[in-house]
């Protein structure tokens, strides 16, 4: 029959949870029984005290030996086991080489800890790689819309706190369907790749450039006001129009863009994207290959 100390026996919590307390109680009990037996069996007082003193020294030696050989290694094993799978520093947990059962457990735990850390690093690398793949457009290698909606709010929040302007530019390639129909979809892919490379030249490290979808790109310009964004948009329009794109037998594929821009302070990103997209339609209605700005310089705090 297996006794459950928590239910059948009312043992104090400290005794239940501490191996060293249990061993100390066992030794104390053994010493008490031995002392009682000596008192009953030996008549001489001095002789009894001497034997009790020797017995006490023996118990103390046993305690120190058990603590060194059993309790202390188990406590270190427990400390290591609690740190497995966590980010805590495990270098302070050391084990002296042993060939007994406790040494075997320590070796197994260390191997488990190393394997756990290896798997954790692999999972972290896999998660980072998957996140990077989810955030990138496989064709142009630019970030995609997912990245915009993850990172964009951070830039807008900072712009609101520091009270500087931010601009959103929507860039739509003109007559892109005709490019695909006339030169083939592979040529259309080449056009998108070349345009993406051109846009990267106008993007600072802290700006956000993405392929929004299809033949449309989005550029978020940080700390960029109305006048600056118009200049940047015009340079982009000119660079795209001057591209000499070739694909297989086609030596030059003409391409232009219609660009809509919204610059403001204190406006949320989604609203600015909608306004900039509306400006793209105005640019197309104006004959394409041009820039239209929403004429919003600031937004009340």
């Amino acid at each position: 029959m297996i006794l459950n100390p928590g239910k059948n026996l009312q043992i104090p919590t400290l005794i239940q949870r501490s191996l060293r307390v249990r061993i100390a109680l066992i030794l104390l009990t053994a010493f008490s029984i031995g002392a009682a037996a000596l008192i009953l069996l030996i008549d001489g007082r001095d002789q009894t005290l001497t034997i009790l003193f020797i017995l006490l020294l023996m118990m103390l030696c046993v305690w120190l030996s058990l603590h060194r050989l059993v309790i202390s290694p188990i406590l270190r094993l427990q400390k290591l086991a609690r740190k497995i799978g966590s980010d805590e520093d495990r270098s302070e947990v050391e084990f002296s080489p042993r060939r007994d059962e406790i040494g075997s457990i320590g070796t197994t735990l260390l191997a488990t800890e190393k394997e756990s850390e290896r798997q954790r690093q692999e999972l972290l690398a896999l998660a980072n790689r998957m996140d990077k793949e989810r955030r990138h457009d496989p064709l142009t290698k630019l970030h995609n819309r997912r990245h915009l909606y993850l990172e964009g709010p951070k830039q807008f929040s900072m712009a609101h706190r520091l009270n500087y302007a931010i601009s959103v530019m929507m860039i739509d390639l003109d007559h892109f369907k005709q490019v695909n129909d006339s030169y083939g979809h592979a040529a259309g892919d080449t056009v998108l790749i070349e345009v993406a490379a051109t846009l990267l030249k106008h993007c600072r490290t802290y700006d956000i450039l993405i392929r929004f979808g299809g033949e449309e790109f989005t550029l978020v310009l940080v700390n960029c006001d109305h006048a600056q964004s118009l200049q940047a948009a015009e340079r982009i329009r000119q660079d795209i129009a001057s591209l000499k794109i070739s694909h297989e037998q086609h030596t030059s594929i003409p391409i232009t863009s219609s660009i809509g821009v919204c610059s403001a302070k204190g406006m949320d990103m989604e609203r600015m994207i909608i306004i900039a997209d509306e400006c793209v339609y105005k640019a197309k209605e104006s004959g394409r290959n041009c820039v239209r700005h929403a004429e919003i310089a600031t937004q009340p705090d």
Side-chain angles (χ1 to χ4, degrees):
M1 178 179 179
I2 301 176
L3 297 178
N4 188 335
K7 294 183 179 180
N8 301 328
L9 299 177
Q10 299 300 320
I11 301 177
T13 303
L14 178 62
I15 298 176
Q16 294 182 42
R17 295 184 177 180
S18 177
L19 178 62
R20 71 177 95 189
V21 172
R22 292 186 185 182
I23 293 176
L25 286 176
I26 291 172
L27 292 177
L28 182 60
T29 302
F31 176 77
S32 300
I33 294 173
L38 287 173
I39 292 172
L40 292 175
L41 297 175
I42 301 175
D43 296 331
R45 177 183 175 84
D46 295 337
Q47 194 176 14
T48 301
L49 291 175
T50 301
I51 295 176
L52 285 176
F53 179 73
I54 295 173
L55 183 61
L56 181 60
L57 287 178
M58 291 175 60
M59 292 296 179
L60 181 59
C61 291
V62 172
W63 163 253
L64 292 175
S65 298
L66 287 173
H67 191 278
R68 180 176 178 276
L69 294 174
V70 179
I71 298 174
S72 183
I74 287 178
L75 291 176
R76 288 198 296 270
L77 289 172
Q78 184 185 48
K79 190 174 183 180
L80 176 62
R82 288 174 176 172
K83 292 185 176 184
I84 291 178
S86 70
D87 294 327
E88 296 183 44
D89 181 23
R90 293 171 286 278
S91 60
E92 60 185 38
V93 184
E94 299 180 355
F95 295 97
S96 57
R98 297 175 56 164
R99 297 183 178 180
D100 57 11
E101 293 81 358
I102 290 181
S104 176
I105 294 173
T107 301
T108 303
L109 267 181
L110 287 173
T112 302
E113 188 273 335
K114 290 180 180 179
E115 178 64 18
S116 175
E117 178 62 18
R118 185 189 66 79
Q119 292 181 2
R120 191 177 73 88
Q121 292 297 331
E122 285 185 355
L123 288 174
L124 183 61
L126 177 61
N128 290 335
R129 186 166 64 252
M130 290 179 64
D131 182 65
K132 183 178 180 180
E133 290 174 354
R134 286 197 301 267
R135 288 172 180 244
H136 280 79
D137 171 50
L139 176 64
T140 63
K141 308 306 179 185
L142 297 181
H143 286 110
N144 57 22
R145 194 183 302 191
R146 173 184 174 84
H147 178 80
L148 173 65
Y149 284 98
L150 286 173
E151 300 299 325
K154 301 176 185 177
Q155 294 286 13
F156 274 78
S157 177
M158 182 178 294
H160 296 167
R161 286 199 309 272
L162 300 179
N163 194 36
Y164 57 72
I166 195 165
S167 297
V168 173
M169 190 182 303
M170 300 296 288
I171 304 148
D172 191 275
L173 303 185
D174 298 326
H175 303 298
F176 187 72
K177 184 177 183 302
Q178 293 181 15
V179 172
N180 284 329
D181 293 342
S182 301
Y183 303 98
H185 288 279
D189 289 346
T190 300
V191 169
L192 292 173
I193 293 171
E194 292 290 337
V195 169
T198 300
L199 292 175
L200 276 173
K201 298 176 183 177
H202 297 270
C203 183
R204 300 165 296 182
T205 55
Y206 44 84
D207 294 330
I208 299 176
L209 172 63
I210 70 157
R211 183 185 178 189
F212 196 78
E215 67 273 19
E216 194 169 21
F217 300 85
T218 302
L219 177 57
V220 177
L221 297 164
V222 178
N223 198 10
C224 180
D225 59 22
H226 175 91
Q228 293 169 327
S229 63
L230 274 178
Q231 293 174 4
E234 184 59 29
R235 288 195 298 269
I236 289 172
R237 184 197 66 78
Q238 292 175 6
D239 284 356
I240 291 176
S242 63
L243 283 174
K244 303 298 182 182
I245 302 174
S246 60
H247 180 77
E248 295 180 352
Q249 73 273 20
H250 307 295
T251 57
S252 182
I253 302 175
I255 193 71
T256 60
S257 61
S258 298
I259 302 176
V261 187
C262 177
S263 301
K265 287 184 179 179
M267 186 180 294
D268 66 86
M269 184 182 74
E270 189 65 38
R271 178 60 180 159
M272 291 185 70
I273 289 174
I274 292 173
I275 294 174
D277 203 42
E278 291 173 350
C279 290
V280 170
Y281 287 103
K282 292 179 182 179
K284 289 186 179 295
E285 290 173 355
S286 300
R288 293 181 168 82
N289 192 24
C290 62
V291 177
R292 290 294 178 266
H293 202 286
E295 302 294 338
I296 301 175
T298 60
Q299 182 76 4
D301 294 335

